[in-house]
Amino acid sequence: MVVVKTKPAAAPQPRPAPAPRSFPKKWTPPTHTHEIPEHLSTDEPDVLVPAQKYVYDVKTCAWKEADAMIRVLHPNRGLSQGTMRVCFALEELDETGFRSQMVAKMFRHDISRVVESDYFNEGEAQCICGILAEKFNRVQVPAGFQRHVVSFLQCETVRIKLREAPAAYQHKRLGFFSYRTTDSADILFTMEPRLTGNFTKYTNNFGNVYDGFEKRRSLEEEKKRHRVLMAVEAFSHFTLVESGGSMLVCDLQGVNDFLTDPQIHTEDGKGLGMGNMGQEGIDKWVDAHVCNEVCRAMMLEPLSKGLRNFPRTAENESRVSYYQILRSKLRSQTPVRPEDIIPLKKPLSMMSDDEQLEYAMRLSALLSD
């Protein structure tokens, strides 16, 4: 008989408490492009980099370059994204160390062949919208009629040279420093002030209107939004008339009457952003538009359904010419000459005083309407 010796069984030990489950941190983007980002967790420090920014000077019709110092907040995490762009939080520092809260807007990775000119086109569009908004706000309306003015955030195009980014960020495949243009491989973006308040979308590219906030707001806030919406719709109508049918500003959103990210459709479909749908975009907007009280107060003529082209009157031809020249000068950075807008019948030096005065009055009337 074989006896097998065994060790006495150990006393049962209490089971250790299970370790807390860990979940990967998941970032949910905010609903708009100007969310304050301080609540976002981040595993990468802010990055301070030198940059060059380009600002359009309306007086000289030229892009002006200036050095800038940019701090990228949460470089691995954007604020939000839309159909075409992703947004990041920035600070711009001046020589005294004062920090301006800004937003960078960059084309998404799934948009192919993004080149430098795409960002200047976006800046160009917002500059033209600013000029049109000033004209819109000067139009007289009947006494006692309350109309919101509209304004566009100043948009700057910014370049960060890849070689000036920290070495650890020069080959990133995700986050802010991964958005590089295909032609220069530099990091380009449009930059504008960060808005505070209820960001909302008013209209889209084809004339569809959004009647309320994306989230429930107070009755007073909804009423104010409706008044702004009426002005925004009338502004789009005005841009088509003001340009002689050659361009239409649409796809408008912002905080109250501070607007951003506009799209311009042009009759030739060239320039002014990737969303320029040309005459087709203009036609679809015209088909969808219903004139409102602001359109009528500004005495804007109703747009006939199915209207495809504005009548080619001498006045409309001058307006079309002016905006075509303005677009080309934005790209060439060459000041606009008066004779480019209204052709001279003979050199100014050969005109009489009365002829020079008449020419100056015609030019002033066209540019200040």
Side-chain angles (χ1 to χ4, degrees), residues 293-312:
E293 58 191 26
V294 181
C295 299
R296 291 186 286 272
M298 296 179 64
M299 300 185 69
L300 295 173
E301 291 289 334
L303 300 170
S304 302
K305 297 297 182 182
L307 178 65
R308 293 296 175 264
N309 291 293
F310 272 56
R312 291 302 188 185

Side-chain angles (χ1 to χ4, degrees), residues 35-328:
E35 184 80 15
I36 296 176
E38 280 68 22
H39 69 283
L40 298 178
S41 60
T42 179
D43 53 8
E44 291 186 1
D46 301 342
V47 179
L48 186 65
V49 288
Q52 290 76 45
K53 68 176 181 179
Y54 303 86
V55 183
Y56 183 69
D57 185 346
V58 176
K59 293 182 179 179
T60 61
C61 294
W63 288 98
K64 292 190 173 181
E65 181 180 350
D67 292 333
M69 190 62 68
I70 302 295
R71 175 177 282 121
V72 184
L73 309 178
H74 312 280
N76 62 322
R77 298 180 184 273
L79 288 176
S80 67
Q81 62 182 5
T83 305
M84 297 181 65
R85 285 178 285 267
V86 61
C87 303
F88 288 84
L90 305 176
E91 290 177 342
E92 182 181 8
L93 283 69
D94 66 14
E95 59 275 7
T96 68
F98 180 79
R99 298 181 295 178
S100 299
Q101 303 300 308
M102 310 295 283
V103 171
K105 298 185 177 181
M106 311 163 107
F107 289 110
R108 290 172 46 149
H109 285 313
D110 54 6
I111 296 177
S112 61
R113 297 186 298 278
V114 175
V115 295
E116 290 191 359
S117 61
D118 292 323
Y119 286 102
F120 283 96
N121 282 339
E122 295 291 316
E124 173 188 344
Q126 202 137 325
C127 289
I128 289 179
C129 289
I131 294 171
L132 287 164
E134 289 182 4
K135 291 176 176 286
F136 173 82
N137 295 335
R138 290 201 299 265
V139 175
Q140 296 295 317
V141 295
F145 183 85
Q146 293 186 345
R147 177 199 63 183
H148 273 274
V149 298
V150 298
S151 57
F152 287 84
L153 295 176
Q154 182 179 17
C155 177
E156 303 165 340
T157 300
V158 180
R159 177 201 308 275
I160 296 175
K161 295 179 180 178
L162 186 61
R163 66 175 182 271
E164 294 181 347
Y169 289 89
Q170 292 184 9
H171 302 287
K172 285 283 187 180
R173 301 185 66 179
L174 295 172
F176 178 88
F177 290 94
S178 68
Y179 291 88
R180 299 183 284 270
T181 57
T182 57
D183 50 355
S184 67
D186 286 338
I187 298 130
L188 270 81
F189 52 92
T190 57
M191 182 174 73
E192 60 189 43
R194 189 189 309 165
L195 294 174
T196 57
N198 298 323
F199 193 93
T200 186
K201 188 174 183 68
Y202 295 109
T203 62
N204 70 4
N205 281 15
F206 296 124
N208 293 332
V209 176
Y210 302 95
D211 289 321
F213 282 109
E214 290 76 2
K215 296 181 179 179
R216 184 181 295 276
R217 304 293 179 187
S218 69
L219 180 60
E220 188 58 37
E221 288 176 311
E222 290 286 357
K223 287 181 178 179
K224 182 177 180 180
R225 184 194 183 279
H226 179 75
R227 292 193 295 269
V228 175
L229 174 60
M230 294 298 99
V232 165
E233 272 276 273
F235 171 70
S236 291
H237 184 164
F238 169 82
T239 62
L240 191 59
V241 175
E242 169 63 21
S243 66
S246 66
M247 64 173 62
L248 167 78
V249 178
C250 55
D251 192 22
L252 297 171
Q253 52 263 307
V255 174
N256 296 326
D257 46 20
F258 290 98
L259 305 177
T260 185
D261 290 345
Q263 180 56 57
I264 300 180
H265 299 319
T266 62
E267 59 181 353
D268 59 9
K270 295 180 180 178
L272 299 178
M274 294 184 182
N276 184 351
M277 303 301 293
Q279 190 64 46
E280 177 188 2
I282 294 175
D283 293 344
K284 287 187 176 181
W285 188 92
V286 169
D287 289 341
H289 178 64
V290 177
C291 284
N292 61 45
E293 58 191 26
V294 181
C295 299
R296 291 186 286 272
M298 296 179 64
M299 300 185 69
L300 295 173
E301 291 289 334
L303 300 170
S304 302
K305 297 297 182 182
L307 178 65
R308 293 296 175 264
N309 291 293
F310 272 56
R312 291 302 188 185
T313 63
E315 181 182 11
N316 280 347
E317 289 290 355
S318 294
R319 292 179 184 276
V320 171
S321 175
Y322 168 69
Y323 286 102
Q324 287 176 339
I325 291 166
L326 178 60
R327 287 162 55 195
S328 67

